Amino acid sequence: MKILVTGTAGFIGYHLSNKLLECGNTVVGIDNINDYYSVELKFARLKEAGISKEAQNWHHKIVSSVNKNYSFYRMNLENGEEIKRLFETEKFDIVCNIAAQAGVRYSIENPMAYIQSNIVGFANILEACRNNSVQHLIYASSSSVYGNSSKMPLATSDPVDNPISLYAATKKSNELMAYTYSHLFGLQTTGLRFFTVYGPWGRPDMAYFSFTKNIIEDKTVKIFNNGNLYRDFTYIDDIVEGISKIIEKSQTHTQNRKVQVPYKIYNIGSSNPFKLIDFIEVIEKVLGKKAKKEFCNMQPGDVYKTFADVSELENEFNYSPNTPLEEGIRKFVDWYKSFYT
């Protein structure tokens, strides 16, 4: 199959592209390489995939030097004309829209970045899919849509009408927009609510990344809500394995479900939440070094607990996240040391 992966210079997009190529697919990646976090890390991911930094130009297709089935365009989702031309030229079977303006707290500082990338950009992807006979659109949603729900574990049948950050609101908007296109045009859409993804090549704005960095550099680790937070940490390989399983069944799954509207939402997580203070202890153990801790109050827009009910994904796709937290953290720390030292 020919698959578009948006956000392919990002953390999840990079790993997903690698997985899909390993499975024998042809992959086209796009990314605008914005400066929300280190562009050098994004270029380094692309370099690993055989895309040279020096070759980056707008409107120019770059073929990987290490895998002829992978190519890359530097492109903004918000540019509707460029997205339209891309779809007309490449003719994708499957689209994986992983690109987005990420981060809960940054959405308080710069809300318009989220409207442009996550709303306007997603609308452009939907339009391009429905006008170019795309079989299946798989897109990134987020556990943030659940807000501060007290019901655990979090299930896709739970109400998600009270987002507590603009980031969460844009992700819920994506789900509503996708439903509309599924209903009106028969476009098969699958939204994935990601739960705290971590691992090698991860995002520097994520807590596990900054914890590791600060412990190594003898800097203070800020621990919000006094460490009394819980997160359903999910290793990156488990995430991309789940997405790959959904893609494998793209052509038959909707028919088997016999639904009028080809629309579905799944949680994708480990279903095993860890208390934040215990999570830090795992990092300390792997590093062999204690953190200098500063306990702080809860941050605006943050949620108390995430805990994924992944039974639907398990039942329908045999999804089985099986990476123990300490093993995943060890792999991340090994990568971090090799990349930054």
Side-chain angles (χ1 to χ4, degrees), residues 122-164:
F122 190 63
N124 288 335
I125 291 292
L126 285 168
E127 271 293 280
C129 286
R130 74 115 164 176
N131 288 320
N132 290 277
S133 302
V134 169
Q135 294 175 19
H136 192 177
L137 168 62
I138 299 161
Y139 62 96
S141 187
S142 169
S143 61
S144 296
V145 301
Y146 292 108
N148 264 324
S149 174
S150 58
K151 174 189 167 294
M152 296 292 158
L154 298 163
T156 56
S157 57
D158 295 341
V160 287
D161 300 325
N162 298 290
I164 62 172

Side-chain angles (χ1 to χ4, degrees), residues 149-212:
S149 174
S150 58
K151 174 189 167 294
M152 296 292 158
L154 298 163
T156 56
S157 57
D158 295 341
V160 287
D161 300 325
N162 298 290
I164 62 172
S165 70
L166 184 65
Y167 169 70
T170 62
K171 287 301 184 180
K172 176 56 184 173
S173 298
N174 287 171
E175 295 176 1
L176 293 170
M177 294 162 73
Y179 179 87
T180 302
Y181 272 70
S182 294
H183 172 73
L184 290 176
F185 309 115
L187 173 63
Q188 183 180 0
T189 65
T190 299
L192 297 174
R193 292 174 177 170
F194 293 120
F195 280 71
T196 317
V197 188
Y198 75 99
W201 296 99
R203 279 176 25 215
D205 63 315
M206 296 293 285
Y208 71 92
F209 198 113
S210 61
F211 290 160
T212 301

Side-chain angles (χ1 to χ4, degrees), residues 223-226 295-300:
I223 303 172
F224 293 99
N225 204 41
N226 299 307
F295 292 93
C296 307
N297 294 326
M298 192 83 155
Q299 294 186 103

Side-chain angles (χ1 to χ4, degrees), residues 309-336:
D309 177 349
V310 297
S311 57
E312 286 182 291
L313 209 56
E314 290 172 341
N315 294 336
E316 294 184 37
F317 296 97
N318 197 29
Y319 172 68
S320 179
N322 56 17
T323 305
L325 183 63
E326 185 172 333
E327 178 186 329
I329 289 296
R330 192 172 299 280
K331 288 179 179 179
F332 167 72
V333 167
D334 288 346
W335 167 81
Y336 183 94

Side-chain angles (χ1 to χ4, degrees), residues 52-270:
S52 170
K53 177 181 178 180
E54 286 69 32
Q56 306 299 326
N57 289 302
W58 297 101
H59 313 293
H60 179 66
K61 180 177 182 177
I62 304 138
V63 178
S64 168
S65 62
V66 298
N67 192 324
K68 62 181 177 58
N69 291 324
Y70 177 61
S71 56
F72 176 80
Y73 293 83
R74 188 171 181 179
M75 187 177 296
N76 274 309
L77 294 186
E78 303 94 295
N79 191 324
E81 286 303 312
E82 283 199 335
I83 294 295
K84 181 174 180 287
R85 284 195 295 271
L86 174 71
F87 275 70
E88 290 172 349
T89 300
E90 296 287 353
K91 303 190 185 310
F92 303 112
D93 300 307
I94 308 290
V95 173
C96 295
N97 187 58
I98 309 300
Q101 178 56 61
V104 169
R105 284 172 287 282
Y106 187 60
S107 69
I108 299 171
E109 302 170 23
N110 190 2
M112 293 311 297
Y114 291 77
I115 300 301
Q116 289 301 311
S117 179
N118 300 5
I119 303 296
V120 176
F122 190 63
N124 288 335
I125 291 292
L126 285 168
E127 271 293 280
C129 286
R130 74 115 164 176
N131 288 320
N132 290 277
S133 302
V134 169
Q135 294 175 19
H136 192 177
L137 168 62
I138 299 161
Y139 62 96
S141 187
S142 169
S143 61
S144 296
V145 301
Y146 292 108
N148 264 324
S149 174
S150 58
K151 174 189 167 294
M152 296 292 158
L154 298 163
T156 56
S157 57
D158 295 341
V160 287
D161 300 325
N162 298 290
I164 62 172
S165 70
L166 184 65
Y167 169 70
T170 62
K171 287 301 184 180
K172 176 56 184 173
S173 298
N174 287 171
E175 295 176 1
L176 293 170
M177 294 162 73
Y179 179 87
T180 302
Y181 272 70
S182 294
H183 172 73
L184 290 176
F185 309 115
L187 173 63
Q188 183 180 0
T189 65
T190 299
L192 297 174
R193 292 174 177 170
F194 293 120
F195 280 71
T196 317
V197 188
Y198 75 99
W201 296 99
R203 279 176 25 215
D205 63 315
M206 296 293 285
Y208 71 92
F209 198 113
S210 61
F211 290 160
T212 301
K213 179 178 186 294
N214 287 352
I215 293 170
I216 289 174
E217 297 177 0
D218 290 317
K219 294 179 180 177
T220 300
V221 171
K222 290 187 175 182
I223 303 172
F224 293 99
N225 204 41
N226 299 307
N228 190 30
L229 296 171
Y230 293 81
R231 291 292 179 269
D232 197 329
F233 295 101
T234 315
Y235 189 64
I236 183 62
D237 288 0
D238 292 329
I239 290 287
V240 299
E241 178 67 22
I243 301 173
S244 179
K245 286 176 181 289
I246 292 170
I247 290 171
E248 286 173 11
K249 290 190 175 181
S250 282
Q251 293 174 306
T252 59
H253 188 60
T254 299
Q255 295 170 339
N256 292 342
R257 280 195 275 118
K258 299 185 186 304
V259 293
Q260 289 185 326
V261 179
Y263 165 91
K264 190 69 179 179
I265 298 289
Y266 296 99
N267 287 333
I268 185 164
S270 67

